Amino acid sequence: MIGWISALIVVALVAVGAVVYAQLQGNIQTAPLRPGTEEPALATGDLNILLLGSDSRALASDGFGEDDGSERSDAMVLAHISSDSTRIDAVQLPRDTVGDLPACEDTGSGSFEGGWAMLNSALQYGPACSVAAVEQLTGVPIDHFVQMDFEGFIGMVDAMGGIDVCLPEPLQDGHARLDLPAGAQSINGDQALALARTRHALAEESDIARLGHQQMVLSAIVQKATKSDVLVRPDRLYAFLDAVTSSMTVDPGLGALTDLAGLAARVANVPMSSVTFLTMPATEAPEDPNRVVPTADADVIFRALIDDAPIVLATDEAEPDVTVRTAPVQILNGAGVSGLASRVSEDATGYGYVVAGIANADPAAATVITAADTPEAQQTAQALAAELGIAVTVQTGDVDGVQLLLGADYTELTSQPRATPPPSRPVDAVSRSADTDLCTG
């Protein structure tokens, strides 16, 4: 969504005069990406942007309830733009995700000592705290963030003249002030926000269940924003940009309209068919059945973002290759480096391998990968070596599955340029591309 917003800003830079430009620039608020560091310019290469939908009630309107000073991220999307600007993967992070959040220094909203909490609560301590929490959860380094509140979202949709959606059944939710019939229809900003936020209109009444509606709303915004009637009507274009910029908080690396224009240059040629929205695969948290934690499929998705690799979604036509990454892997630390086996195990798990165990071993000078004489073990060992960047020949031996012995040369081996890794294994995730027909997707 930020990509197409930026594309409209490029048009505005050409179409509007200096006074209007200054007004739009003055609308934008900035906040630190991280505490105590020099803020970077617009990043190059592959790009990760955290999109935050704030539920703060500190708004001009009192229609969203009383402002109690709290602020959480009602929606979180980790958007990845590939280094060659040919695809965008936007991963929705459920607000009910729980984990051990990192401590956060005070960047203007107070400090947080860290601890077990819901992911969405980090925004109470500023967007930099949300960035730190998402980085710890996913392992994905975040280059920029964009935060928007309820009023900004409503104003953006209304300035576009509404968006088109299609519902398989009618939805009513008094809590969210939602009452929509089934079928194709055009909705305004208030209705779009209610549709994206409703839980009580859904059978499961869960955060995960409503993320499908958020995917539809995001797709509808992208489809409407790229239509010519938004671009060529000055009143609609200015109203759209004014609504977006007046409710937007970004890091200083995106703090100028020219920065956003630079971002637009990255995404302007990405076809809608290559923009994919997908929900982080999650499962019930062991500590609380009403909360969720990432699954192994989520780890594979995050690893693909880190490696700037395409995410492969499991479909009827593309089932996982059972000969790759399925043999159990044992990791032995013979390098004499404390915690090395655990760190390599985390990397292997992130790629989708089944780590059967880790242990210390007698000191070894060389790293060795040994595989059983089966297609599954041989394929798993070859893929593991490629994805970890270990330039060694796989040996065949009497082991159960695959055994990786980390030797004293491990650091030197993995510091070399890595061979192109095999494609990420297919993952099962709720997803849709931005060009999916709203009544069939």
Side-chain angles (χ1 to χ4, degrees):
M1 182 171 65
I2 185 62
W4 271 273
I5 290 172
S6 301
L8 294 177
I9 289 175
V10 171
V11 178
L13 294 178
V14 177
V16 304
V19 173
V20 174
Y21 178 93
Q23 180 175 339
L24 294 175
Q25 178 63 68
N27 286 343
I28 301 176
Q29 301 182 57
T30 63
L33 179 69
R34 293 181 179 86
T37 60
E38 183 178 349
E39 298 292 346
L42 181 64
T44 58
D46 61 301
L47 197 64
N48 299 309
I49 303 175
L50 180 61
L51 308 178
L52 299 167
S54 169
D55 72 354
S56 170
R57 268 62 173 181
L59 305 169
S61 169
D62 59 3
F64 299 99
E66 183 179 353
D67 176 22
D68 60 3
S70 66
E71 184 172 20
R72 293 152 300 189
S73 43
D74 204 50
M76 290 168 283
V77 178
L78 180 54
H80 174 83
I81 304 172
S82 65
S83 58
D84 59 3
S85 301
T86 60
R87 70 178 188 280
I88 298 174
D89 296 310
V91 183
Q92 298 167 289
L93 305 174
R95 57 171 288 166
D96 286 347
T97 303
V98 291
D100 191 17
L101 304 188
C104 300
E105 297 179 28
D106 187 358
T107 57
S109 301
S111 61
F112 175 51
E113 62 182 12
W116 193 261
M118 286 175 57
L119 184 64
N120 71 331
S121 66
L123 189 58
Q124 180 66 32
Y125 305 96
C129 196
S130 289
V131 167
V134 171
E135 286 185 329
Q136 178 158 298
L137 174 76
T138 66
V140 178
I142 295 174
D143 301 296
H144 302 288
F145 76 84
V146 177
Q147 178 181 328
M148 182 176 288
D149 60 32
F150 289 159
E151 290 180 332
F153 182 85
I154 292 172
M156 176 182 67
V157 173
D158 284 342
M160 299 169 72
I163 58 174
D164 299 321
V165 297
C166 191
L167 302 178
E169 58 186 9
L171 294 176
Q172 290 87 31
D173 181 358
H175 296 276
R177 296 178 297 179
L178 177 69
D179 186 2
L180 295 176
Q185 57 200 288
S186 179
I187 60 176
N188 61 25
D190 287 293
Q191 294 168 319
L193 179 66
L195 178 59
R197 299 189 66 232
T198 183
R199 294 185 187 217
H200 300 289
L202 308 175
E204 297 180 34
E205 294 196 11
S206 69
D207 180 56
I208 298 295
R210 71 174 179 167
L211 294 181
H213 284 159
Q214 290 184 3
Q215 287 185 7
M216 178 191 294
V217 170
L218 289 171
S219 296
I221 289 173
V222 170
Q223 291 182 22
K224 188 63 176 285
T226 56
K227 287 184 177 179
S228 60
D229 60 346
V230 176
L231 293 171
V232 301
R233 285 185 48 176
D235 59 332
R236 187 167 289 177
L237 174 60
Y238 175 77
F240 179 89
L241 292 173
D242 187 51
V244 170
T245 55
S246 62
S247 60
M248 176 188 287
T249 301
V250 299
D251 65 274
L254 289 177
L257 287 178
T258 50
D259 294 325
L260 293 173
L263 179 60
R266 290 285 308 276
V267 303
N269 294 321
V270 179
M272 285 198 297
S273 59
S274 296
V275 179
T276 304
F277 299 105
L278 63 159
T279 300
M280 179 193 84
T283 189
E284 183 179 291
E287 303 82 1
D288 186 345
N290 296 314
R291 301 291 179 256
V292 300
V293 292
T295 66
D297 274 356
D299 291 335
V300 173
I301 289 172
F302 299 147
R303 173 57 64 177
L305 300 186
I306 293 170
D307 289 345
D308 191 27
I311 297 170
V312 181
L313 298 169
T315 65
D316 292 338
E317 295 78 23
E319 291 298 329
D321 184 347
V322 297
T323 66
V324 178
R325 303 180 182 87
T326 55
V329 177
Q330 184 182 28
I331 301 175
L332 304 178
N333 184 0
V337 179
S338 178
L340 180 60
S342 295
R343 294 197 296 273
V344 175
S345 173
E346 291 177 0
D347 286 343
T349 301
Y351 280 117
Y353 296 92
V354 179
V355 177
I358 61 175
N360 289 320
D362 293 334
T367 296
V368 178
I369 299 180
T370 306
D373 190 16
T374 66
E376 293 81 6
Q378 293 290 323
Q379 291 284 353
T380 297
Q382 294 288 349
L384 181 67
E387 289 186 312
L388 294 181
I390 305 173
V392 299
T393 301
V394 174
Q395 300 182 8
T396 301
D398 185 17
V399 296
D400 182 15
V402 176
Q403 183 185 86
L404 170 59
L405 172 62
L406 306 172
D409 63 346
Y410 178 76
T411 300
E412 181 181 349
L413 284 172
T414 54
S415 65
Q416 302 303 313
R418 186 179 288 192
T420 302
S424 173
R425 71 166 173 84
V427 295
D428 186 12
V430 176
S431 65
R432 70 185 298 146
S433 64
D435 68 337
T436 301
D437 186 279
L438 296 171
C439 283
T440 61

